[in-house]
Amino acid sequence: MSIIISFVNQKGGTGKTTLAVNCADYLHLQGKRVLLIDSDPQGSSLDWASVRDYEDGFPVVGIPKPTLHKEVKKFNKDYDYIFIDGPPRSYDVARSTLMASDLVIIPVQPSPYDVWATEEIVKLAKECLTFNENMKCAFVINRKITNTTISKDVLEAFANYDIPVLKASVCQRVVFAEVAGQGGSVCRADTSNKAAKEIRTLTAEIMELSHEQENKRLRKKTA
């Protein structure tokens, strides 16, 4: 049974696709069976996959439909992890993405305005918990300016939501855009660069949370 992890935020420009493709490719390079589903009608993850010039990539499929939570079931036995790159504005598709997910990662840029703008996706997530009670959500700070600290205003804004903030964060780095144009990832390009270290740290924390969710799901089945 796959563990399904989605990157979702109704606000555009938060870096959902960047985190999805880089975390997925890191796990793929570790020998895990990985599938990436692009549920964004813009198809950014599909565009990324289309320019890959290597043969050892993982599959990327597009399902920008409000039936995603039903269609994803056909992939469950074939992959260890299914990542979903969520849509920024399509309510029905975002809802279906959340319904399908074991773990929902909400990328947020470190400004009070961006944190406040997450209110819509937080509200949607709470609605979806009624139908997907095993789902867990967490914020991740993305596109942080290097060598800066998160402001008090941002931390206070996060405190307004009953959703944890991951310890790992990812900075705004040119290398993300450079490798994306070649269908690559920061871990594939150079494992020693700072961006790759951030992705490895973030993925490790996401894996820890996802396995907690998986164990919870298994306990409920055997209870």
Side-chain angles (χ1 to χ4, degrees), residues 107-171:
V108 184
Q109 295 186 77
S111 79
Y113 304 107
D114 284 83
V115 178
W116 295 330
T118 63
E119 184 174 353
E120 185 177 358
I121 190 64
V122 170
K123 181 180 178 182
L124 180 58
K126 289 181 178 179
E127 292 175 2
C128 290
L129 277 170
T130 304
F131 305 98
N132 184 8
E133 60 183 12
N134 294 322
M135 179 183 71
K136 184 177 180 63
C137 299
F139 289 117
V140 60
I141 295 174
N142 191 33
R143 293 183 169 173
K144 177 185 172 185
I145 304 302
T146 56
N147 301 318
T148 62
T149 57
I150 301 170
S151 71
K152 181 181 178 182
D153 289 343
V154 171
L155 295 175
E156 289 177 350
F158 274 123
N160 291 327
Y161 302 114
D162 188 25
I163 293 177
V165 182
L166 298 183
K167 295 177 182 178
S169 61
V170 178
C171 291

Side-chain angles (χ1 to χ4, degrees), residues 79-90:
Y79 299 96
D80 301 313
Y81 298 97
I82 296 176
F83 287 85
I84 305 177
D85 179 12
R89 296 179 183 85
S90 176

Side-chain angles (χ1 to χ4, degrees), residues 21-221:
V21 300
N22 279 278
C23 290
D25 202 37
Y26 170 63
L27 283 182
H28 170 69
L29 292 170
Q30 300 307 302
K32 304 299 183 182
R33 298 177 302 159
V34 176
L35 171 69
L36 176 59
I37 295 176
D38 193 340
S39 68
D40 186 347
Q42 293 180 351
S44 297
S45 288
L46 287 170
D47 289 341
W48 171 82
S50 71
V51 298
R52 290 185 296 193
D53 60 357
Y54 47 90
E55 296 181 356
D56 65 334
F58 57 87
V60 181
V61 298
I63 311 179
K65 304 176 183 178
T67 55
L68 187 154
H69 61 290
K70 297 178 180 179
E71 297 191 37
V72 72
K73 294 177 182 179
K74 64 187 177 185
F75 300 111
N76 268 334
K77 295 180 180 180
D78 299 323
Y79 299 96
D80 301 313
Y81 298 97
I82 296 176
F83 287 85
I84 305 177
D85 179 12
R89 296 179 183 85
S90 176
Y91 176 88
D92 289 341
V93 179
R95 183 177 183 273
S96 185
T97 298
L98 295 178
M99 292 280 288
S101 303
D102 298 305
L103 178 61
V104 177
I105 303 300
I106 306 173
V108 184
Q109 295 186 77
S111 79
Y113 304 107
D114 284 83
V115 178
W116 295 330
T118 63
E119 184 174 353
E120 185 177 358
I121 190 64
V122 170
K123 181 180 178 182
L124 180 58
K126 289 181 178 179
E127 292 175 2
C128 290
L129 277 170
T130 304
F131 305 98
N132 184 8
E133 60 183 12
N134 294 322
M135 179 183 71
K136 184 177 180 63
C137 299
F139 289 117
V140 60
I141 295 174
N142 191 33
R143 293 183 169 173
K144 177 185 172 185
I145 304 302
T146 56
N147 301 318
T148 62
T149 57
I150 301 170
S151 71
K152 181 181 178 182
D153 289 343
V154 171
L155 295 175
E156 289 177 350
F158 274 123
N160 291 327
Y161 302 114
D162 188 25
I163 293 177
V165 182
L166 298 183
K167 295 177 182 178
S169 61
V170 178
C171 291
Q172 177 79 1
R173 299 186 188 279
V174 175
V175 65
F176 283 110
E178 291 177 341
V179 297
Q182 303 164 7
S185 70
V186 292
C187 292
R188 187 180 291 271
D190 179 2
T191 58
S192 66
N193 66 58
K194 292 180 179 179
K197 292 177 181 178
E198 290 172 352
I199 290 296
R200 290 198 299 270
T201 302
L202 172 61
T203 306
E205 190 170 0
I206 289 173
M207 290 300 96
E208 184 177 347
L209 283 178
S210 65
H211 289 139
E212 288 177 7
Q213 292 304 100
E214 176 67 6
N215 291 334
K216 186 187 298 184
R217 184 169 64 183
L218 291 173
R219 285 196 297 270
K220 285 193 174 184
K221 282 186 176 181

